[in-house]
Amino acid sequence: EAGVAQSPRYKIIEKRQSVAFWCNPISGHATLYWYQQILGQGPKLLIQFQNNGVVDDSQLPKDRFSAERLKGVDSTLKIQPAKLEDSAVYLCASSWAHNSPLHFGNGTRLTVT
Amino acid sequence: GQQVMQIPQYQHVQEGEDFTTYCNSSTTLSNIQWYKQRPGGHPVFLIQLVKSGEVKKQKRLTFQFGEAKKNSSLHITATQTTDVGTYFCAAPQGAGSYQLTFGKGTKLSVIP
């Protein structure tokens, strides 16, 4: 089966600019996640979707981050405006259902200068 | 919120030595998952443990879930250079929670 697709792989922006990431999950996976992984740390959940509805966004900095999953398939995560501390790898993952194993994409490495 | 604490943070072993990483929680976990992340890569699912006292093996890897479902361990026998990476445990945030919380990971280095 095709894996989770993410783009772009790398992005360098200046602080206060905006950026968007795209994710296409494994076909048939109802649950989609966006995680932020800062160097040397474990992934931190930003938002979780079940089909096209938000299940958990308690750790999403809503003043600057937004995400959507229209039509319950692919998803975009946006940061506007970016801060230096947003430099991290943004991982998208999908699973059949919550509590089932996560399949991660290759991630987008964001550098904010 | 609930956290899963992982120790040690780093482990350097000689090739052929054994390695163990531990994951602890202050609350009972409904299940626990283990992932491996190679340098520069993304986390890859290894195993999920659900039952109290459960033990699962994958070749040289042995996973255990504690009787009280508050701790778990991953043991690698006779490490190889291919075992290099960071091992994460992950568990639901709380009872009925959808949020999967990852530990900080144990970074394993294997000296050939």
Side-chain angles (χ1 to χ4, degrees), chain A residues 1 25-33 35 45 48-51 53 55 69 72 93-104, chain B residues 30-31 33 35 45 48 92 96-100:
Chain A
E1 63 180 7
I26 292 173
S27 178
H29 280 192
T31 312
L32 185 147
Y33 315 74
Y35 279 87
L45 181 68
Q48 179 176 342
F49 293 93
Q50 182 73 16
N51 296 310
V55 172
R69 191 185 184 195
S94 69
S95 65
W96 282 108
H98 82 93
N99 272 343
S100 49
L102 272 59
H103 298 258
F104 284 88
Chain B
S30 60
N31 69 86
Q33 300 178 21
Y35 291 79
F45 172 78
Q48 182 175 29
S97 171
Y98 292 88
Q99 184 182 128
L100 194 66

Side-chain angles (χ1 to χ4, degrees), chain A residues 7-80:
Chain A
S7 67
R9 283 299 310 274
Y10 306 93
K11 191 73 177 178
I12 301 174
I13 61 172
E14 295 181 352
K15 59 183 179 183
R16 292 187 288 274
Q17 286 187 323
S18 62
V19 64
F21 312 126
W22 174 84
C23 172
N24 188 259
I26 292 173
S27 178
H29 280 192
T31 312
L32 185 147
Y33 315 74
W34 283 102
Y35 279 87
Q36 179 194 57
Q37 187 173 26
I38 293 173
L39 187 65
Q41 298 184 19
K44 171 189 164 185
L45 181 68
L46 293 175
I47 190 167
Q48 179 176 342
F49 293 93
Q50 182 73 16
N51 296 310
N52 60 349
V54 176
V55 172
D56 191 316
D57 63 357
S58 57
Q59 298 192 95
L60 186 74
K62 298 180 186 65
D63 57 333
R64 299 184 300 105
F65 286 64
S66 65
E68 59 183 11
R69 191 185 184 195
L70 299 176
K71 302 180 183 178
V73 182
D74 56 354
S75 175
T76 55
L77 175 69
K78 296 179 182 178
I79 307 175
Q80 181 179 9

